[in-house]
């Protein structure tokens, strides 16, 4: 029997086949776990209360599969989805593993590689749509450089734009109901990747032919690697109406992409994120792009998956308590209702308002000496998160 934090389908939690399917290979060591067949991943995740499963084309269909093999694999996978009441909300393409992509797909200097990249992505889009995906993620894992004179970075951005514009037109031509979500990362596996942060993508999207079709897929670990405050970036994406998808995991600051269990490292930032998503009624998939520690066997993988979902639900409950805590809300009310008579000076511009505002005399020394109550507020949050409130 579950408790109040047991995940259920309506929580809309999803995992990638590559996340729970991660075999624990790293740059220094071989796999520590056997690959779990995709159909068993579907079954086990469903049993744990997950709702969706995402995939790269080659997580399901090997890159060298024949058409007959592909069809059989896809048929079996669809049956598992149906049997275990799971959906495929998002799909994506592997344009990073095969050596052909060693210098990028969209941004490769070789037009033959760029053409192959487009072909692979179109086929992968067809597969994703066949499985029911409504979001298509682009993570340019190899779109970057070590030798920075090898590619003109302005040209790289143009090539990326040409590629995304081409694929937007492909989706429209096929009459697919599919939106694109761009995923930023500052480095790894390349020394430097183009479009290092979600903010870079938000600006890029506005330069596309069909900006409304394209949003972002921010990832906790990636923005943290860039030294940024994740929930601030997510808030800006929400404000722009561009938060189409999200990759949840955790990460120690200043390290490689660790892809830890959601909320395993930084409870406070995880809380701030969950509170932001819940208070703003984010209704998209909550996707865990993380994997179990390399120390684990398959049981540890399912402990990991359940842990991601439970921590999200526990933090959702903490966000509810935060909203209902009289002392906390009292301080927040005080903070947001200071000097209400000055509101009339703000908001949209008029010449009359500007003239009036220019005449106001401010006692800035008195204003500057007013204390905030943020120490008290932050300690109340700490006590709430630490479970004594
Ligand atoms: C990573 C990325 C990937 C992508 C995935 C979907 O750092 O490896 O986060 O896991 O999210 O390829 O595009
Ligand atoms: Mn990542
Ligand atoms: Mn990711």
């Amino acid at each position: 029997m579950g408790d109040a934090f047991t995940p259920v389908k309506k929580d809309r939690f999803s995992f990638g086949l590559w996340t729970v399917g991660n075999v624990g290979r790293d740059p220094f060591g071989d796999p520590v776990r056997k690959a779990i067949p995709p159909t068993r991943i579907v079954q086990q995740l469903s049993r744990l209360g997950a709702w969706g499963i995402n995939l790269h084309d080659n997580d399901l269909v090997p890159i060298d599969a024949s058409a007959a093999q592909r069809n059989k694999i896809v048929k079996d996978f669809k049956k598992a989805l149906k049997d275990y009441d799971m959906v495929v909300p998002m799909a994506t393409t592997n344009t990073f593993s095969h050596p052909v992509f060693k210098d990028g797909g969209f941004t490769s200097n070789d037009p033959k590689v760029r053409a192959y990249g487009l072909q692979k992505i179109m086929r992968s889009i067809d597969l994703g749509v066949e499985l029911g995906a409504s979001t298509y993620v682009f993570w340019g894992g190899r779109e970057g450089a070590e030798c920075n004179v090898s590619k003109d970075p302005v040209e790289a951005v143009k090539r990326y734009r040409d590629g995304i514009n081409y694929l937007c037109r492909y989706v429209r031509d096929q009459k697919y109901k599919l939106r694109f979500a761009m995923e930023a990362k500052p480095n790894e596996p390349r020394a430097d990747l183009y479009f290092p942060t979600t903010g870079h993508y938000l600006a890029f999207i506005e330069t596309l032919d069909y900006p409304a079709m394209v949003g972002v897929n921010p990832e906790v670990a990636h923005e943290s690697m860039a030294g940024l405050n994740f929930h601030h970036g997510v808030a800006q994406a929400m404000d722009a109406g561009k938060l189409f998808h999200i990759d949840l995991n955790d990460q120690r600051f200043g390290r490689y992409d660790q892809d830890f269990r959601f909320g395993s490292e930084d409870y406070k930032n995880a809380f701030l994120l969950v509170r932001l998503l819940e208070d703003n009624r984010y209704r998209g998939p909550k996707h865990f792009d993380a994997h179990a520690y390399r120390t684990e066997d398959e049981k540890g993988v399912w402990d990991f998956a359940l842990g991601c979902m439970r921590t999200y639900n526990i933090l959702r409950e903490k966000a509810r308590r935060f909203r209902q805590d009289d002392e906390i809300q009292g301080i927040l009310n005080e903070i947001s209702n200071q000097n209400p008579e000055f509101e009339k000076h703000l908001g949209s511009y008029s010449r009359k308002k500007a003239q009036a505002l220019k005449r106001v005399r401010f006692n800035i020394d008195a204003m500057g000496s007013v204390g905030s109550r943020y120490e008290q507020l932050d300690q109340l949050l700490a006590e709430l998160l630490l479970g004594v409130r």
Side-chain angles (χ1 to χ4, degrees), residues 245-262:
H245 200 267
I246 192 160
D247 275 5
L248 302 171
N249 55 18
D250 213 350
Q251 170 83 17
R252 294 250 187 108
F253 178 67
R255 312 233 165 155
Y256 64 95
D257 189 22
Q258 295 175 304
D259 290 334
F260 286 150
R261 188 179 73 257
F262 178 62

Side-chain angles (χ1 to χ4, degrees), residues 255-274:
R255 312 233 165 155
Y256 64 95
D257 189 22
Q258 295 175 304
D259 290 334
F260 286 150
R261 188 179 73 257
F262 178 62
S264 60
E265 286 296 327
D266 189 338
Y267 303 135
K268 193 176 181 181
N269 273 325
F271 166 81
L272 292 171
L273 176 63
V274 170

